[in-house]
CSV table of all heavy atoms in Angstrom, one decimal:
chain,number,residue,atom,x,y,z
A,3,LEU,N,66.9,156.0,46.8
A,3,LEU,CA,66.5,156.3,45.4
A,3,LEU,C,67.1,155.1,44.4
A,3,LEU,O,68.2,154.6,44.8
A,3,LEU,CB,67.1,157.5,44.8
A,3,LEU,CG,66.6,158.8,45.5
A,3,LEU,CD1,67.4,160.0,44.9
A,3,LEU,CD2,65.2,159.0,45.0
A,5,ILE,N,67.9,155.7,41.4
A,5,ILE,CA,68.8,156.4,40.5
A,5,ILE,C,70.2,156.1,40.9
A,5,ILE,O,70.7,156.6,41.9
A,5,ILE,CB,68.5,157.8,40.4
A,5,ILE,CG1,66.9,158.1,40.0
A,5,ILE,CG2,69.4,158.7,39.5
A,5,ILE,CD1,66.6,159.5,40.1
A,10,PRO,N,78.4,164.1,42.5
A,10,PRO,CA,78.4,165.2,43.4
A,10,PRO,C,79.0,166.5,42.7
A,10,PRO,O,79.9,166.3,41.8
A,10,PRO,CB,79.2,164.8,44.6
A,10,PRO,CG,80.1,163.6,43.9
A,10,PRO,CD,79.4,163.1,42.8
A,19,GLY,N,63.8,181.8,34.7
A,19,GLY,CA,62.8,182.2,33.8
A,19,GLY,C,61.5,182.3,34.7
A,19,GLY,O,61.5,182.3,35.9
A,22,MET,N,60.9,178.0,34.7
A,22,MET,CA,61.9,177.0,34.6
A,22,MET,C,63.3,177.7,35.0
A,22,MET,O,63.3,179.0,34.8
A,22,MET,CB,62.1,176.3,33.3
A,22,MET,CG,60.8,175.5,33.0
A,22,MET,SD,60.7,174.0,33.9
A,22,MET,CE,62.1,173.1,33.5
A,29,LEU,N,80.8,169.5,38.5
A,29,LEU,CA,81.0,168.2,39.1
A,29,LEU,C,82.5,168.1,39.9
A,29,LEU,O,83.3,168.7,39.5
A,29,LEU,CB,80.8,167.1,38.1
A,29,LEU,CG,79.6,167.0,37.3
A,29,LEU,CD1,79.6,165.8,36.4
A,29,LEU,CD2,78.4,166.9,38.3
A,36,THR,N,74.6,170.9,32.9
A,36,THR,CA,73.5,171.8,33.1
A,36,THR,C,72.1,171.0,33.3
A,36,THR,O,72.0,170.0,32.9
A,36,THR,CB,73.4,172.7,32.0
A,36,THR,OG1,74.6,173.3,31.6
A,36,THR,CG2,72.2,173.6,32.0
A,45,LYS,N,63.9,177.2,44.4
A,45,LYS,CA,63.5,177.7,45.7
A,45,LYS,C,63.4,176.8,46.7
A,45,LYS,O,63.8,177.0,47.9
A,45,LYS,CB,62.2,178.6,45.4
A,45,LYS,CG,62.3,179.8,44.5
A,45,LYS,CD,60.9,180.4,44.3
A,45,LYS,CE,61.2,181.6,43.4
A,45,LYS,NZ,59.9,182.1,42.8
A,52,GLY,N,77.4,178.0,44.6
A,52,GLY,CA,78.2,177.6,45.6
A,52,GLY,C,77.5,176.4,46.4
A,52,GLY,O,78.0,175.7,47.1
A,55,VAL,N,75.5,170.0,45.6
A,55,VAL,CA,74.3,169.3,45.0
A,55,VAL,C,74.8,167.9,44.5
A,55,VAL,O,76.0,167.7,44.4
A,55,VAL,CB,73.7,170.1,43.9
A,55,VAL,CG1,73.0,171.3,44.4
A,55,VAL,CG2,74.6,170.3,42.7
A,56,ARG,N,73.9,167.1,44.3
A,56,ARG,CA,74.2,165.9,43.5
A,56,ARG,C,73.2,165.9,42.2
A,56,ARG,O,72.0,166.1,42.2
A,56,ARG,CB,73.7,164.6,44.3
A,56,ARG,CG,74.7,164.3,45.4
A,56,ARG,CD,74.2,163.2,46.2
A,56,ARG,NE,73.1,163.5,47.0
A,56,ARG,CZ,72.0,162.9,47.3
A,56,ARG,NH1,71.9,161.6,46.6
A,56,ARG,NH2,71.0,163.2,47.9
A,73,GLY,N,77.3,169.7,16.9
A,73,GLY,CA,76.1,170.0,16.2
A,73,GLY,C,74.8,169.5,16.9
A,73,GLY,O,73.6,169.4,16.3
A,81,ALA,N,83.0,162.8,29.1
A,81,ALA,CA,84.0,161.8,28.6
A,81,ALA,C,84.3,160.9,29.8
A,81,ALA,O,84.4,161.1,30.8
A,81,ALA,CB,85.4,162.5,28.0
A,85,ASP,N,83.8,150.5,31.9
A,85,ASP,CA,84.3,149.7,33.0
A,85,ASP,C,83.8,148.1,32.8
A,85,ASP,O,84.4,147.2,32.9
A,85,ASP,CB,84.0,150.1,34.4
A,85,ASP,CG,84.8,151.2,34.8
A,85,ASP,OD1,86.0,151.4,34.2
A,85,ASP,OD2,84.4,152.1,35.8
A,91,GLY,N,68.9,139.9,26.7
A,91,GLY,CA,68.4,139.4,25.4
A,91,GLY,C,68.2,140.5,24.5
A,91,GLY,O,68.5,140.6,23.3
A,97,LYS,N,78.5,150.2,32.5
A,97,LYS,CA,79.2,151.1,33.5
A,97,LYS,C,80.3,151.8,32.9
A,97,LYS,O,81.2,151.3,32.3
A,97,LYS,CB,79.6,150.2,34.7
A,97,LYS,CG,78.5,149.6,35.5
A,97,LYS,CD,79.0,149.0,36.8
A,97,LYS,CE,78.0,148.2,37.4
A,97,LYS,NZ,76.8,148.5,37.9
A,102,GLY,N,85.7,161.6,38.8
A,102,GLY,CA,85.0,161.9,40.0
A,102,GLY,C,83.9,161.1,40.3
A,102,GLY,O,83.0,161.3,41.2
A,114,VAL,N,75.3,148.3,21.8
A,114,VAL,CA,76.7,147.9,22.3
A,114,VAL,C,77.5,147.2,21.2
A,114,VAL,O,78.7,147.6,20.9
A,114,VAL,CB,76.5,146.8,23.4
A,114,VAL,CG1,77.9,146.3,23.8
A,114,VAL,CG2,75.9,147.5,24.7
A,138,THR,N,70.0,168.4,47.0
A,138,THR,CA,71.0,168.9,47.9
A,138,THR,C,71.9,167.9,48.3
A,138,THR,O,71.3,166.8,48.7
A,138,THR,CB,70.4,169.8,48.9
A,138,THR,OG1,69.4,169.1,49.6
A,138,THR,CG2,69.7,171.1,48.3
Side-chain angles (χ1 to χ4, degrees):
L3 294 173
I5 299 174
M22 299 292 291
L29 300 176
T36 301
K45 292 175 184 174
V55 295
R56 284 177 289 137
D85 281 337
K97 291 189 190 296
V114 170
T138 51

